[in-house]
Amino acid sequence: MTTRSETRTALDHLLTEIEHRNPAQPEFHQAAHEVLETLAPVLAARPEYAEPGLVERLVEPERQVIFRVPWQDDQGRVHVNRGFRVEFNSALGPYKGGLRFHPSVNLGVIKFLGFEQIFKNALTGLGIGGGKGGSDFDPHGRSDAEVMRFCQSFMTELHRHIGEHTDVPAGDIGVGGREIGYLFGQYRRITNRWEAGVLTGKGAGWGGSLIRPEATGYGNVLFAAAMLRERGEDLEGQTALVSGSGNVAIYTIEKLTALGANPVTCSDSSGYVVDEKGIDLDLLKQIKEVERGRVDAYAERRGSSARFVPGGSVWEVPADLALPSATQNELDENAAATLVRNGVKAVSEGANMPTTPEAVHLLQKAGVAFGPGKAANAGGVAVSALEMAQNHARTSWTAARVEEELTHIMNDIHTTCHETAERYDAPGDYVTGANIAGFERVADAMLAQGVI
Ligand code: NDP
């Protein structure tokens, strides 16, 4: 029987090896540490999981594709970006995970996101593997025609690697309904197939699922509500901080408001807005989704209740709840200390890995309920899987039906994480619960399918 300390030593050894084999990929190292450091109890308790090769296979993507994406801007100048698709693990189903278009994208970022996606997708219980992709293309300030040409060039290569039974991308940072439309159009043109299930996040009139745009934000609020319920509280009257002002942030704000909480902030890379009356969602949507503007315009047009703080961080505003919904490592140890000082009760991650490891540790030590992204933001990919199911059956469900399924899935993920944490002597630790529960599902499938 392997002891926990022997298992921990073996995992430390593997983590060192991961750093050597994947140099200059700090985000991937961080994600691997975050998961592997919580697995010692399950590897010690279930010797079959500790077999040489299982965890080693899990941290190595099944396939990584890197490609050139040339495109012309409106002045006829040629630009060359880099495209990525990392197909990490297909033990539970076709690779599934979004595409990110942001200048910070590189192989390490896509690998961190793909690795997280394996466990997140397993937690949904919906039969989807893990993958992620994207490009260092920056859509900010580009015309619709430029974005279209970029998307067409990107798909001209990507189409060889994806398919409804193989790999099903969706949106992420910088990839919303507009980009999915252009990508789907080019896929359809090249392949001459109406293969709706090849991409999710499509428009509702041409194969998209109702509630998919809302799903990540709504799901995160439902997860936060479940964590509060566990402590005998609810969302009613709670002041909430939301960072970001994109897809996840907007629908987080919408659901918080609907459930009686008061979301008072939003942000983008230029700074943040605090609005003591609560964020006016119609105004925010007009600025971000229609005009594609910056958040300072919100404060200018909202009146005296709102102010714009250039370059600041929303975490300095006192509140009961924090829902980071922008990007990785946006909530560091200092921000966590400020949140704790201001009496925060729960932090629930809408973004992927927005909280640094030091900040997670500090929050958990202070007794704050902490919902890790791979559980709390799984609503988006869950409804993507429901979109695939609707596409397969050539049908579409009502918004009410999708939202009911989403609520059921989020509550189920919460219960799974909570119970798994208790089973492994870590009550209330949703990080351990999510990592172990996701790992068990993937590891069982990998063991059953042999060494491949
Ligand atoms: P969007 O592109 O719609 O919005 C991203 C928001 O975050 C924007 O307000 C953007 O501001 C801000 N942001 C992005 N990068 C930075 C940065 N480096 N510094 C400061 N602000 C930044 O993306 P989504 O809302 O879709 O995604 C947000 C997060 O949620 C990501 O971590 C994503 O991986 C995660 N997620 C998304 C899912 C989905 O369904 N869309 C599903 C699960 C997780 P600016 O415009 O100034 O860059």
Side-chain angles (χ1 to χ4, degrees), residues 72 131 133 141 149 181 186 190 195-196 219 223 242 254 283 371 438:
Q72 275 184 298
R149 286 194 291 276
Q186 183 74 350
I190 293 176
E195 190 185 331
F223 193 88
V242 177
E254 185 163 287
L283 178 58

Side-chain angles (χ1 to χ4, degrees), residues 225-241:
M227 290 198 298
L228 287 174
R229 226 172 14 249
E230 201 57 51
R231 298 172 167 224
E233 294 209 47
D234 63 26
L235 285 168
E236 186 70 41
Q238 312 268 11
T239 306
L241 307 179

Side-chain angles (χ1 to χ4, degrees), residues 7 49 88 126 130 141 153 157 168 181 218 232 247 256 258 381 410:
T7 310
Y49 292 153
F88 227 116
L126 290 172
S153 181
E157 173 60 32
V168 183
Y218 280 19
N247 171 267
L256 283 167
V381 75
M410 293 315 298

Side-chain angles (χ1 to χ4, degrees), residues 100 140 172-174 212 216 245-248 268-269 294 326 351-352:
R100 175 176 291 191
H140 285 115
D172 191 81
I173 290 178
R212 175 61 189 89
T216 308
S245 51
N247 171 267
V248 177
D268 62 21
S269 50
R294 315 301 295 160
N352 284 311

Side-chain angles (χ1 to χ4, degrees), residues 69-381:
V69 190
W71 58 282
Q72 275 184 298
D73 66 21
D74 289 342
Q75 285 70 43
R77 280 189 300 262
V78 174
H79 298 256
V80 180
N81 284 99
R82 192 168 283 173
F84 302 89
R85 188 69 186 168
V86 172
E87 298 178 333
F88 227 116
N89 193 298
S90 59
L92 291 177
Y95 309 105
K96 183 89 197 82
L99 298 171
R100 175 176 291 191
F101 293 168
H102 192 272
S104 63
V105 163
N106 56 41
L107 184 60
V109 167
I110 298 298
K111 280 174 67 180
F112 119 63
L113 290 162
F115 187 64
E116 286 276 301
Q117 199 81 45
I118 302 170
F119 306 97
K120 180 188 312 197
N121 293 3
L123 283 172
T124 68
L126 290 172
I128 35 180
K132 199 83 186 187
S135 173
D136 56 2
F137 171 70
D138 186 359
H140 285 115
R142 291 291 170 194
S143 68
D144 285 353
E146 288 174 325
V147 171
M148 181 180 75
R149 286 194 291 276
F150 175 81
C151 288
Q152 289 173 340
S153 181
F154 185 84
M155 184 54 84
T156 300
E157 173 60 32
L158 186 71
H159 87 277
R160 304 174 213 282
H161 311 288
I162 62 175
E164 63 181 331
H165 301 296
T166 316
D167 183 355
V168 183
D172 191 81
I173 290 178
V175 179
R178 173 183 63 170
E179 290 76 15
I180 293 292
Y182 295 146
L183 291 164
F184 185 74
Q186 183 74 350
Y187 183 85
R188 189 168 61 73
R189 184 173 194 200
I190 293 176
T191 60
N192 192 28
R193 281 162 65 92
W194 180 271
E195 190 185 331
V198 71
L199 286 172
T200 58
K202 300 179 294 297
W206 43 279
S209 175
L210 295 172
I211 308 295
R212 175 61 189 89
E214 293 87 348
T216 308
Y218 280 19
N220 188 24
V221 176
L222 294 170
F223 193 88
M227 290 198 298
L228 287 174
R229 226 172 14 249
E230 201 57 51
R231 298 172 167 224
E233 294 209 47
D234 63 26
L235 285 168
E236 186 70 41
Q238 312 268 11
T239 306
L241 307 179
V242 177
S243 61
S245 51
N247 171 267
V248 177
I250 282 176
Y251 292 104
T252 299
I253 291 169
E254 185 163 287
K255 196 64 170 176
L256 283 167
T257 309
L259 295 181
N262 186 27
V264 291
T265 61
C266 63
S267 69
D268 62 21
S269 50
S270 68
Y272 76 88
V273 162
V274 55
D275 184 343
E276 64 205 29
K277 280 198 190 151
I279 297 292
D280 175 340
L281 203 64
D282 288 340
L283 178 58
L284 184 64
K285 280 183 176 173
Q286 170 65 24
I287 291 167
K288 297 307 289 194
E289 291 185 337
V290 181
E291 300 169 20
R292 297 186 188 274
R294 315 301 295 160
V295 285
D296 58 345
Y298 175 96
E300 269 165 34
R301 279 147 70 174
R302 172 70 163 151
S304 60
S305 70
R307 68 193 160 85
F308 174 65
V309 183
S313 140
V314 298
W315 317 122
E316 55 207 37
V317 178
D320 304 306
L321 312 171
L323 297 99
S325 307
T327 193
Q328 63 268 16
N329 294 327
E330 54 163 313
L331 197 169
D332 64 13
E333 199 175 7
N334 285 336
T338 307
L339 287 173
V340 169
R341 236 184 352 264
N342 287 333
V344 76
K345 298 171 188 169
V347 175
S348 201
E349 294 187 323
N352 284 311
M353 210 167 75
T355 317
T356 65
E358 300 77 20
V360 175
H361 184 66
L362 193 151
L363 292 166
Q364 288 185 321
K365 221 170 131 209
V368 175
F370 178 79
K374 65 172 73 67
N377 72 35
V381 75

